[in-house]
Amino acid sequence: MTQNDFVKYLEEEEIQIFEIQNLKSTLDLDNRKINEIVENLVVKGFLSRIERGKYCRANFRDENVIGIFLAKESAVAYWSALNLHGLTEQFPNKIFIQTTQLKKEVEFAGTTYQFIKIHPNKRIGIVSNGYGNYKFPITDIEKTIIDCFDLPQYSGGFAELIRAFYNANLNAKKLTDYCSAVNNIAVIKRLGFLAELFEKKNLSGFIKFAQSKVNRSYNLFDTFGENAGETNNDWYLRMNLSKENILGIVQNQY
């Protein structure tokens, strides 16, 4: 097979991104031959190397697809998903990828990809976005909200999360199921409190579930805030962000 044959194959099969190992068996090429072809095409600018053994067409720059390609059992999540779902106007400076695999940060074509490892039990609430070569898995709205409250350091700020929860059209059953899988009691209490405060009547089932999970250990409402403020004895939360401030955040949108 020549370099031209290889390029023609990629075009005919509409392959934009690939792993050498997968094409090697399909094309019946040995390691030396396929590596030689691919590396020459990289030098000539037809292909770009993402990381060892993984390549894409030189003009392919879909950041979400590339991020998913870099880690198995993965999905676009956290701040990146929050933005794609239209729940924040802030753009993350990284692409956040949730995965069951341990993987270091990767930088490619000016974009940084951060991988957050989760337990396989927490891999739930994933849907597809896009189509064809531009299709990628992403956490749905409910799972995105829960994940961001679970690991707020990847969410773009606590005020953004409060706004996102207020504005999102959420499904009570999904929230309940996903919270059960993630199993973070502090997160369940915070979400239950907010659902009650915002009078989200469609979440009455979730509020009952959250109330059943309340323990007698006080948690800070704002994880990054000071250990101060009044105590809420219904939800066992220390309100280091007052109800008035919370309502002010959602009343003054962006």
Side-chain angles (χ1 to χ4, degrees):
M1 174 175 273
T2 65
Q3 293 174 39
N4 286 338
D5 291 334
F6 189 84
V7 171
K8 185 178 179 182
Y9 171 79
L10 295 180
E11 290 175 349
E12 289 176 347
E13 297 297 322
E14 298 182 345
I15 295 172
Q16 296 285 354
I17 190 167
F18 63 90
E19 191 168 358
I20 276 188
Q21 281 300 112
N22 294 337
L23 290 189
K24 184 182 73 171
S25 56
T26 303
L27 298 174
D28 193 26
L29 294 172
D30 60 33
N31 285 331
R32 185 194 62 78
K33 183 61 177 176
I34 195 167
N35 284 331
E36 179 185 300
I37 290 172
V38 170
E39 289 304 321
N40 282 330
L41 289 173
V42 169
V43 171
K44 292 178 179 178
F46 288 99
L47 298 175
S48 296
R49 184 189 301 105
I50 305 171
E51 65 175 12
R52 184 177 179 181
K54 296 179 181 179
Y55 299 81
C56 66
R57 304 283 288 276
N59 61 351
F60 186 79
R61 289 293 181 268
D62 190 300
E63 295 171 339
N64 298 306
V65 174
I66 291 170
I68 293 303
F69 184 71
L70 287 170
K72 296 177 181 178
E73 295 186 350
S74 59
V76 174
Y78 304 101
W79 192 353
S80 298
L82 210 61
N83 179 269
L84 288 169
H85 286 307
L87 294 174
T88 177
E89 292 183 354
Q90 293 186 4
F91 286 92
N93 56 2
K94 297 178 178 179
I95 303 298
F96 291 97
I97 304 294
Q98 188 180 80
T99 173
T100 60
Q101 312 295 312
L102 187 63
K103 187 171 179 64
K104 294 180 180 179
E105 241 180 39
V106 173
E107 187 169 337
F108 171 69
T111 299
T112 301
Y113 299 88
Q114 183 166 350
F115 303 91
I116 297 93
K117 185 178 183 295
I118 60 165
H119 191 278
N121 289 349
K122 295 184 180 183
R123 183 170 163 74
I124 189 173
I126 296 171
V127 294
S128 291
N129 197 342
Y131 59 92
N133 287 318
Y134 300 90
K135 187 176 182 178
F136 60 90
I138 180 174
T139 52
D140 68 14
I141 290 174
E142 287 81 5
K143 185 59 166 33
T144 299
I145 293 284
I146 293 167
D147 283 338
C148 285
F149 272 93
D150 184 41
L151 297 173
Q153 64 268 38
Y154 305 126
S155 69
F158 204 67
E160 284 299 295
L161 280 187
I162 292 171
R163 290 191 189 99
F165 185 85
Y166 179 79
N167 290 318
N169 182 17
L170 299 166
N171 179 284
K173 186 177 187 308
K174 286 183 179 181
L175 273 182
T176 301
D177 290 345
Y178 301 165
C179 276
S180 296
V182 173
N183 196 30
N184 185 328
I185 301 301
V187 168
I188 294 173
K189 292 195 289 185
R190 292 182 188 114
L191 293 178
F193 166 80
L194 287 175
E196 190 174 68
L197 178 65
F198 296 150
E199 298 180 351
K200 285 183 171 274
K201 293 181 170 46
N202 63 314
L203 296 185
S204 59
F206 171 73
I207 293 171
K208 289 179 182 177
F209 160 78
Q211 288 170 336
S212 74
K213 294 294 182 180
V214 172
N215 55 23
R216 293 184 176 275
S217 176
Y218 282 94
N219 300 102
L220 293 177
F221 175 71
D222 180 352
T223 310
F224 299 123
E226 296 180 359
N227 188 7
E230 296 181 356
T231 55
N232 182 310
N233 295 327
D234 291 328
W235 292 100
Y236 276 79
L237 292 169
R238 182 168 287 282
M239 301 306 299
N240 53 358
L241 193 60
S242 69
K243 287 184 179 180
E244 291 72 25
N245 285 336
I246 295 168
L247 292 172
I249 287 170
V250 299
Q251 287 163 4
N252 299 294
Q253 299 277 329
Y254 309 109

